[in-house]
Amino acid sequence: MVVQAKKRELKEAQRRKKQLEERCRLEESIGNAVLTWNNEILPNWETMWCSRKVRDLWWQGIPPSVRGKVWGLAIGNELNITHELFDICLARAKERWRSFSMGGSEVENEDAGFSAADREASLELIKLDISRTFPNLCIFQQGGPYHDMLHSILGAYTCYRPDVGYVQGMSFIAAVLILNLDTADAFIAFSNLLNKPCQMAFFRVDHGLMLTYFAAFEVFFEENLPKLFAHFKKNNLTPDIYLIDWIFTLYSKSLPLDLACRIWDVFCRDGEEFLFRTALGILKLFEDILTKMDFIHVAQFLTRLPEDLPAEECFASIATIQMQSRNKKWAQVLAALQKDSREVDKGSPSLRR
């Protein structure tokens, strides 16, 4: 028994030593990457961001200390939002909160066409959703260090885009940005991110365009995973069942936070295509077990993915996904489907024949 105990102790000591060595290697790798990003890439962003070297580094994951800067640059600011505009929208949101808390319902000129009931519903939904945003972290809930920041960004956005308002899922996107950027910069990134075609289609619930995105996804689904695609078709498992939640929150609600941030890294590099490539990577990773499941069990599994999903395993699976179908890339397939959809809407004579 003594010999066995000593063997166990030795094995445990070796395991701890290996873990320590791996942690040291990882820390050294991150340290070197931080130096490269800060000293070489960020100062020369315009000329370097699309180089092979930078793209390879990007895929490996952006170090947390520079992630916010890189995301801000990659997302861009096509809307030309300034810190001053954020302050104006935030002041307007605070005034609205005060008005509703006092029972007021006056309609501001800039919100003409949007009822007081709609605005109040948005404010109530924000309050409810914040309490459900990364609850395990306990930092966004009432009394948490990031509660007011999250509340401010979401409230300011409803004033900046009253036509969109607040939609469930937005709180997760804003929360991830807050963890990596200052409040005003997070608002700028948040507003520009939601203004991208895919996000706007989903958050404005443009059913026609959402269906086009799903149709494009299925083209690459069948191309990459024909066996699983056939199984899903047989069981009437349509993309909306699992994709909507993944796209709405950019995987931040569905995946471990560190993995979700890695997904965001490459999403900021490659755009909307990577969101759908990630979905296919996840499906491929679990293909063997999904093909053995029926409708209910697949739906349950995909809406509650394993919490211990390893990042390297997930990215290895994503890397095998080819976003090309019959020599057409994602953007070309999507554009062709959009064109077909418009022709159907117009009742094209050629289609009626």
mmCIF file of all heavy atoms in Angstrom, residues 119-153:
data_model
loop_
_atom_site.group_PDB
_atom_site.id
_atom_site.type_symbol
_atom_site.label_atom_id
_atom_site.label_comp_id
_atom_site.label_asym_id
_atom_site.label_seq_id
_atom_site.Cartn_x
_atom_site.Cartn_y
_atom_site.Cartn_z
ATOM 1 N N ARG A 119 -41.561 52.384 -25.813
ATOM 2 C CA ARG A 119 -40.334 52.819 -25.153
ATOM 3 C C ARG A 119 -40.257 52.243 -23.736
ATOM 4 O O ARG A 119 -39.206 51.807 -23.277
ATOM 5 C CB ARG A 119 -40.248 54.345 -25.117
ATOM 6 C CG ARG A 119 -40.152 54.960 -26.514
ATOM 7 C CD ARG A 119 -39.637 56.396 -26.470
ATOM 8 N NE ARG A 119 -40.371 57.221 -25.529
ATOM 9 C CZ ARG A 119 -41.511 57.843 -25.809
ATOM 10 N NH1 ARG A 119 -42.063 57.684 -26.994
ATOM 11 N NH2 ARG A 119 -42.096 58.601 -24.920
ATOM 12 N N GLU A 120 -41.393 52.242 -23.051
ATOM 13 C CA GLU A 120 -41.420 51.709 -21.689
ATOM 14 C C GLU A 120 -41.144 50.205 -21.709
ATOM 15 O O GLU A 120 -40.431 49.683 -20.841
ATOM 16 C CB GLU A 120 -42.775 51.987 -21.031
ATOM 17 C CG GLU A 120 -42.802 51.609 -19.556
ATOM 18 C CD GLU A 120 -44.002 52.175 -18.830
ATOM 19 O OE1 GLU A 120 -44.946 52.626 -19.496
ATOM 20 O OE2 GLU A 120 -43.992 52.147 -17.594
ATOM 21 N N ALA A 121 -41.677 49.503 -22.717
ATOM 22 C CA ALA A 121 -41.444 48.061 -22.842
ATOM 23 C C ALA A 121 -39.957 47.793 -23.043
ATOM 24 O O ALA A 121 -39.404 46.843 -22.476
ATOM 25 C CB ALA A 121 -42.249 47.498 -24.007
ATOM 26 N N SER A 122 -39.297 48.648 -23.853
ATOM 27 C CA SER A 122 -37.856 48.507 -24.093
ATOM 28 C C SER A 122 -37.088 48.659 -22.793
ATOM 29 O O SER A 122 -36.172 47.890 -22.497
ATOM 30 C CB SER A 122 -37.363 49.563 -25.097
ATOM 31 O OG SER A 122 -37.282 49.023 -26.396
ATOM 32 N N LEU A 123 -37.450 49.673 -22.002
ATOM 33 C CA LEU A 123 -36.748 49.935 -20.744
ATOM 34 C C LEU A 123 -36.952 48.789 -19.753
ATOM 35 O O LEU A 123 -36.012 48.406 -19.043
ATOM 36 C CB LEU A 123 -37.229 51.254 -20.136
ATOM 37 C CG LEU A 123 -36.938 52.520 -20.956
ATOM 38 C CD1 LEU A 123 -37.518 53.750 -20.270
ATOM 39 C CD2 LEU A 123 -35.447 52.697 -21.172
ATOM 40 N N GLU A 124 -38.156 48.240 -19.704
ATOM 41 C CA GLU A 124 -38.430 47.120 -18.802
ATOM 42 C C GLU A 124 -37.667 45.868 -19.233
ATOM 43 O O GLU A 124 -37.151 45.124 -18.406
ATOM 44 C CB GLU A 124 -39.939 46.831 -18.772
ATOM 45 C CG GLU A 124 -40.736 47.799 -17.928
ATOM 46 C CD GLU A 124 -40.279 47.812 -16.478
ATOM 47 O OE1 GLU A 124 -40.114 46.730 -15.874
ATOM 48 O OE2 GLU A 124 -40.057 48.913 -15.943
ATOM 49 N N LEU A 125 -37.591 45.655 -20.548
ATOM 50 C CA LEU A 125 -36.886 44.488 -21.079
ATOM 51 C C LEU A 125 -35.388 44.583 -20.796
ATOM 52 O O LEU A 125 -34.734 43.587 -20.482
ATOM 53 C CB LEU A 125 -37.143 44.353 -22.582
ATOM 54 C CG LEU A 125 -36.709 43.040 -23.240
ATOM 55 C CD1 LEU A 125 -37.288 41.836 -22.503
ATOM 56 C CD2 LEU A 125 -37.139 43.019 -24.703
ATOM 57 N N ILE A 126 -34.836 45.795 -20.904
ATOM 58 C CA ILE A 126 -33.420 46.011 -20.580
ATOM 59 C C ILE A 126 -33.159 45.615 -19.127
ATOM 60 O O ILE A 126 -32.215 44.882 -18.824
ATOM 61 C CB ILE A 126 -33.020 47.487 -20.815
ATOM 62 C CG1 ILE A 126 -32.945 47.786 -22.318
ATOM 63 C CG2 ILE A 126 -31.668 47.799 -20.157
ATOM 64 C CD1 ILE A 126 -32.727 49.258 -22.637
ATOM 65 N N LYS A 127 -34.007 46.103 -18.254
ATOM 66 C CA LYS A 127 -33.852 45.821 -16.815
ATOM 67 C C LYS A 127 -33.887 44.316 -16.552
ATOM 68 O O LYS A 127 -33.065 43.774 -15.802
ATOM 69 C CB LYS A 127 -34.977 46.530 -16.049
ATOM 70 C CG LYS A 127 -34.864 46.451 -14.534
ATOM 71 C CD LYS A 127 -36.000 47.241 -13.894
ATOM 72 C CE LYS A 127 -35.961 47.128 -12.383
ATOM 73 N NZ LYS A 127 -37.099 47.857 -11.756
ATOM 74 N N LEU A 128 -34.834 43.630 -17.188
ATOM 75 C CA LEU A 128 -34.982 42.182 -17.005
ATOM 76 C C LEU A 128 -33.794 41.434 -17.589
ATOM 77 O O LEU A 128 -33.247 40.518 -16.966
ATOM 78 C CB LEU A 128 -36.281 41.711 -17.665
ATOM 79 C CG LEU A 128 -36.582 40.205 -17.610
ATOM 80 C CD1 LEU A 128 -36.758 39.751 -16.168
ATOM 81 C CD2 LEU A 128 -37.816 39.887 -18.433
ATOM 82 N N ASP A 129 -33.364 41.833 -18.801
ATOM 83 C CA ASP A 129 -32.291 41.117 -19.489
ATOM 84 C C ASP A 129 -30.944 41.281 -18.802
ATOM 85 O O ASP A 129 -30.128 40.361 -18.805
ATOM 86 C CB ASP A 129 -32.192 41.584 -20.951
ATOM 87 C CG ASP A 129 -32.743 40.531 -21.903
ATOM 88 O OD1 ASP A 129 -33.470 39.649 -21.432
ATOM 89 O OD2 ASP A 129 -32.451 40.600 -23.105
ATOM 90 N N ILE A 130 -30.694 42.460 -18.228
ATOM 91 C CA ILE A 130 -29.427 42.685 -17.539
ATOM 92 C C ILE A 130 -29.264 41.682 -16.392
ATOM 93 O O ILE A 130 -28.180 41.148 -16.165
ATOM 94 C CB ILE A 130 -29.319 44.133 -17.024
ATOM 95 C CG1 ILE A 130 -29.061 45.084 -18.195
ATOM 96 C CG2 ILE A 130 -28.196 44.274 -15.983
ATOM 97 C CD1 ILE A 130 -29.018 46.552 -17.825
ATOM 98 N N SER A 131 -30.349 41.400 -15.712
ATOM 99 C CA SER A 131 -30.286 40.455 -14.580
ATOM 100 C C SER A 131 -29.963 39.042 -15.046
ATOM 101 O O SER A 131 -29.506 38.215 -14.267
ATOM 102 C CB SER A 131 -31.619 40.461 -13.816
ATOM 103 O OG SER A 131 -32.648 39.877 -14.604
ATOM 104 N N ARG A 132 -30.183 38.760 -16.361
ATOM 105 C CA ARG A 132 -29.936 37.419 -16.898
ATOM 106 C C ARG A 132 -28.672 37.349 -17.750
ATOM 107 O O ARG A 132 -28.439 36.357 -18.424
ATOM 108 C CB ARG A 132 -31.136 36.985 -17.751
ATOM 109 C CG ARG A 132 -32.441 36.953 -16.975
ATOM 110 C CD ARG A 132 -33.593 36.414 -17.784
ATOM 111 N NE ARG A 132 -33.967 37.275 -18.898
ATOM 112 C CZ ARG A 132 -35.180 37.280 -19.455
ATOM 113 N NH1 ARG A 132 -36.122 36.472 -18.996
ATOM 114 N NH2 ARG A 132 -35.438 38.061 -20.473
ATOM 115 N N THR A 133 -27.864 38.404 -17.720
ATOM 116 C CA THR A 133 -26.668 38.463 -18.549
ATOM 117 C C THR A 133 -25.447 37.952 -17.778
ATOM 118 O O THR A 133 -25.065 38.536 -16.765
ATOM 119 C CB THR A 133 -26.415 39.917 -19.026
ATOM 120 O OG1 THR A 133 -27.572 40.380 -19.732
ATOM 121 C CG2 THR A 133 -25.206 39.993 -19.950
ATOM 122 N N PHE A 134 -24.858 36.875 -18.242
ATOM 123 C CA PHE A 134 -23.721 36.227 -17.567
ATOM 124 C C PHE A 134 -23.949 36.161 -16.058
ATOM 125 O O PHE A 134 -23.143 36.688 -15.276
ATOM 126 C CB PHE A 134 -22.421 36.980 -17.866
ATOM 127 C CG PHE A 134 -22.022 36.966 -19.315
ATOM 128 C CD1 PHE A 134 -21.865 38.149 -20.021
ATOM 129 C CD2 PHE A 134 -21.799 35.769 -19.984
ATOM 130 C CE1 PHE A 134 -21.503 38.140 -21.361
ATOM 131 C CE2 PHE A 134 -21.437 35.746 -21.331
ATOM 132 C CZ PHE A 134 -21.284 36.941 -22.026
ATOM 133 N N PRO A 135 -25.047 35.535 -15.620
ATOM 134 C CA PRO A 135 -25.370 35.511 -14.178
ATOM 135 C C PRO A 135 -24.272 34.880 -13.326
ATOM 136 O O PRO A 135 -24.101 35.270 -12.162
ATOM 137 C CB PRO A 135 -26.670 34.701 -14.111
ATOM 138 C CG PRO A 135 -26.698 33.913 -15.386
ATOM 139 C CD PRO A 135 -26.021 34.760 -16.408
ATOM 140 N N ASN A 136 -23.522 33.931 -13.893
ATOM 141 C CA ASN A 136 -22.464 33.272 -13.113
ATOM 142 C C ASN A 136 -21.317 34.215 -12.756
ATOM 143 O O ASN A 136 -20.598 33.990 -11.777
ATOM 144 C CB ASN A 136 -21.910 32.065 -13.878
ATOM 145 C CG ASN A 136 -22.950 30.962 -14.040
ATOM 146 O OD1 ASN A 136 -23.917 30.916 -13.287
ATOM 147 N ND2 ASN A 136 -22.758 30.100 -15.017
ATOM 148 N N LEU A 137 -21.133 35.273 -13.559
ATOM 149 C CA LEU A 137 -20.048 36.222 -13.284
ATOM 150 C C LEU A 137 -20.409 37.196 -12.159
ATOM 151 O O LEU A 137 -19.525 37.746 -11.498
ATOM 152 C CB LEU A 137 -19.693 37.021 -14.548
ATOM 153 C CG LEU A 137 -19.152 36.228 -15.750
ATOM 154 C CD1 LEU A 137 -18.830 37.173 -16.905
ATOM 155 C CD2 LEU A 137 -17.908 35.436 -15.361
ATOM 156 N N CYS A 138 -21.714 37.432 -11.977
ATOM 157 C CA CYS A 138 -22.211 38.328 -10.901
ATOM 158 C C CYS A 138 -21.623 39.741 -10.994
ATOM 159 O O CYS A 138 -21.393 40.391 -9.968
ATOM 160 C CB CYS A 138 -21.905 37.737 -9.523
ATOM 161 S SG CYS A 138 -22.632 36.117 -9.250
ATOM 162 N N ILE A 139 -21.363 40.224 -12.207
ATOM 163 C CA ILE A 139 -20.785 41.570 -12.354
ATOM 164 C C ILE A 139 -21.705 42.534 -13.089
ATOM 165 O O ILE A 139 -21.508 43.756 -13.049
ATOM 166 C CB ILE A 139 -19.411 41.531 -13.071
ATOM 167 C CG1 ILE A 139 -19.541 40.849 -14.436
ATOM 168 C CG2 ILE A 139 -18.371 40.831 -12.202
ATOM 169 C CD1 ILE A 139 -18.250 40.861 -15.256
ATOM 170 N N PHE A 140 -22.738 42.008 -13.757
ATOM 171 C CA PHE A 140 -23.651 42.868 -14.510
ATOM 172 C C PHE A 140 -24.985 43.067 -13.802
ATOM 173 O O PHE A 140 -25.774 43.926 -14.177
ATOM 174 C CB PHE A 140 -23.899 42.284 -15.909
ATOM 175 C CG PHE A 140 -22.670 42.278 -16.778
ATOM 176 C CD1 PHE A 140 -21.997 41.088 -17.050
ATOM 177 C CD2 PHE A 140 -22.170 43.458 -17.302
ATOM 178 C CE1 PHE A 140 -20.862 41.078 -17.836
ATOM 179 C CE2 PHE A 140 -21.028 43.460 -18.091
ATOM 180 C CZ PHE A 140 -20.367 42.276 -18.358
ATOM 181 N N GLN A 141 -25.238 42.259 -12.765
ATOM 182 C CA GLN A 141 -26.505 42.365 -12.056
ATOM 183 C C GLN A 141 -26.511 43.596 -11.132
ATOM 184 O O GLN A 141 -25.482 44.216 -10.898
ATOM 185 C CB GLN A 141 -26.762 41.079 -11.254
ATOM 186 C CG GLN A 141 -27.102 39.865 -12.126
ATOM 187 C CD GLN A 141 -25.975 39.428 -13.051
ATOM 188 O OE1 GLN A 141 -24.809 39.457 -12.670
ATOM 189 N NE2 GLN A 141 -26.306 39.049 -14.275
ATOM 190 N N GLN A 142 -27.684 43.915 -10.623
ATOM 191 C CA GLN A 142 -27.835 45.064 -9.725
ATOM 192 C C GLN A 142 -26.801 45.011 -8.602
ATOM 193 O O GLN A 142 -26.671 43.997 -7.928
ATOM 194 C CB GLN A 142 -29.247 45.061 -9.109
ATOM 195 C CG GLN A 142 -29.580 46.293 -8.289
ATOM 196 C CD GLN A 142 -29.900 47.494 -9.156
ATOM 197 O OE1 GLN A 142 -30.591 47.380 -10.154
ATOM 198 N NE2 GLN A 142 -29.395 48.656 -8.775
ATOM 199 N N GLY A 143 -26.040 46.087 -8.441
ATOM 200 C CA GLY A 143 -25.001 46.141 -7.408
ATOM 201 C C GLY A 143 -23.651 45.680 -7.903
ATOM 202 O O GLY A 143 -22.638 45.868 -7.220
ATOM 203 N N GLY A 144 -23.594 45.071 -9.086
ATOM 204 C CA GLY A 144 -22.326 44.606 -9.653
ATOM 205 C C GLY A 144 -21.541 45.758 -10.270
ATOM 206 O O GLY A 144 -22.113 46.799 -10.614
ATOM 207 N N PRO A 145 -20.230 45.603 -10.445
ATOM 208 C CA PRO A 145 -19.376 46.694 -10.928
ATOM 209 C C PRO A 145 -19.665 47.159 -12.355
ATOM 210 O O PRO A 145 -19.344 48.292 -12.716
ATOM 211 C CB PRO A 145 -17.958 46.105 -10.827
ATOM 212 C CG PRO A 145 -18.150 44.617 -10.834
ATOM 213 C CD PRO A 145 -19.454 44.387 -10.153
ATOM 214 N N TYR A 146 -20.289 46.304 -13.174
ATOM 215 C CA TYR A 146 -20.542 46.681 -14.564
ATOM 216 C C TYR A 146 -22.027 46.890 -14.872
ATOM 217 O O TYR A 146 -22.398 47.084 -16.025
ATOM 218 C CB TYR A 146 -19.974 45.618 -15.521
ATOM 219 C CG TYR A 146 -18.468 45.537 -15.502
ATOM 220 C CD1 TYR A 146 -17.812 44.464 -14.897
ATOM 221 C CD2 TYR A 146 -17.684 46.533 -16.092
ATOM 222 C CE1 TYR A 146 -16.430 44.384 -14.873
ATOM 223 C CE2 TYR A 146 -16.306 46.462 -16.079
ATOM 224 C CZ TYR A 146 -15.683 45.382 -15.467
ATOM 225 O OH TYR A 146 -14.307 45.306 -15.455
ATOM 226 N N HIS A 147 -22.861 46.863 -13.846
ATOM 227 C CA HIS A 147 -24.301 47.007 -14.055
ATOM 228 C C HIS A 147 -24.643 48.345 -14.706
ATOM 229 O O HIS A 147 -25.361 48.407 -15.715
ATOM 230 C CB HIS A 147 -25.053 46.870 -12.726
ATOM 231 C CG HIS A 147 -26.514 47.185 -12.830
ATOM 232 N ND1 HIS A 147 -27.006 48.465 -12.676
ATOM 233 C CD2 HIS A 147 -27.594 46.397 -13.102
ATOM 234 C CE1 HIS A 147 -28.313 48.455 -12.839
ATOM 235 N NE2 HIS A 147 -28.696 47.209 -13.093
ATOM 236 N N ASP A 148 -24.118 49.426 -14.136
ATOM 237 C CA ASP A 148 -24.468 50.761 -14.644
ATOM 238 C C ASP A 148 -23.947 50.982 -16.059
ATOM 239 O O ASP A 148 -24.613 51.627 -16.880
ATOM 240 C CB ASP A 148 -23.930 51.845 -13.703
ATOM 241 C CG ASP A 148 -24.657 51.853 -12.358
ATOM 242 O OD1 ASP A 148 -25.714 51.187 -12.262
ATOM 243 O OD2 ASP A 148 -24.178 52.504 -11.422
ATOM 244 N N MET A 149 -22.751 50.450 -16.361
ATOM 245 C CA MET A 149 -22.187 50.589 -17.702
ATOM 246 C C MET A 149 -23.075 49.897 -18.737
ATOM 247 O O MET A 149 -23.366 50.451 -19.804
ATOM 248 C CB MET A 149 -20.775 50.001 -17.755
ATOM 249 C CG MET A 149 -19.726 50.814 -17.018
ATOM 250 S SD MET A 149 -18.149 49.926 -16.892
ATOM 251 C CE MET A 149 -17.627 49.901 -18.612
ATOM 252 N N LEU A 150 -23.509 48.681 -18.409
ATOM 253 C CA LEU A 150 -24.356 47.925 -19.330
ATOM 254 C C LEU A 150 -25.701 48.627 -19.505
ATOM 255 O O LEU A 150 -26.201 48.754 -20.632
ATOM 256 C CB LEU A 150 -24.555 46.494 -18.789
ATOM 257 C CG LEU A 150 -25.354 45.530 -19.671
ATOM 258 C CD1 LEU A 150 -24.781 45.444 -21.075
ATOM 259 C CD2 LEU A 150 -25.396 44.133 -19.037
ATOM 260 N N HIS A 151 -26.260 49.094 -18.415
ATOM 261 C CA HIS A 151 -27.536 49.805 -18.448
ATOM 262 C C HIS A 151 -27.410 51.062 -19.301
ATOM 263 O O HIS A 151 -28.308 51.386 -20.098
ATOM 264 C CB HIS A 151 -27.949 50.163 -17.013
ATOM 265 C CG HIS A 151 -29.427 50.366 -16.849
ATOM 266 N ND1 HIS A 151 -29.967 51.598 -16.598
ATOM 267 C CD2 HIS A 151 -30.474 49.494 -16.922
ATOM 268 C CE1 HIS A 151 -31.285 51.493 -16.503
ATOM 269 N NE2 HIS A 151 -31.618 50.219 -16.693
ATOM 270 N N SER A 152 -26.287 51.765 -19.162
ATOM 271 C CA SER A 152 -26.059 53.012 -19.902
ATOM 272 C C SER A 152 -25.973 52.771 -21.405
ATOM 273 O O SER A 152 -26.580 53.489 -22.199
ATOM 274 C CB SER A 152 -24.764 53.683 -19.417
ATOM 275 O OG SER A 152 -24.883 54.089 -18.078
ATOM 276 N N ILE A 153 -25.209 51.759 -21.806
ATOM 277 C CA ILE A 153 -25.030 51.490 -23.239
ATOM 278 C C ILE A 153 -26.346 51.079 -23.885
ATOM 279 O O ILE A 153 -26.706 51.576 -24.961
ATOM 280 C CB ILE A 153 -23.951 50.404 -23.448
ATOM 281 C CG1 ILE A 153 -22.566 50.995 -23.164
ATOM 282 C CG2 ILE A 153 -24.007 49.828 -24.865
ATOM 283 C CD1 ILE A 153 -21.437 49.989 -23.203
#
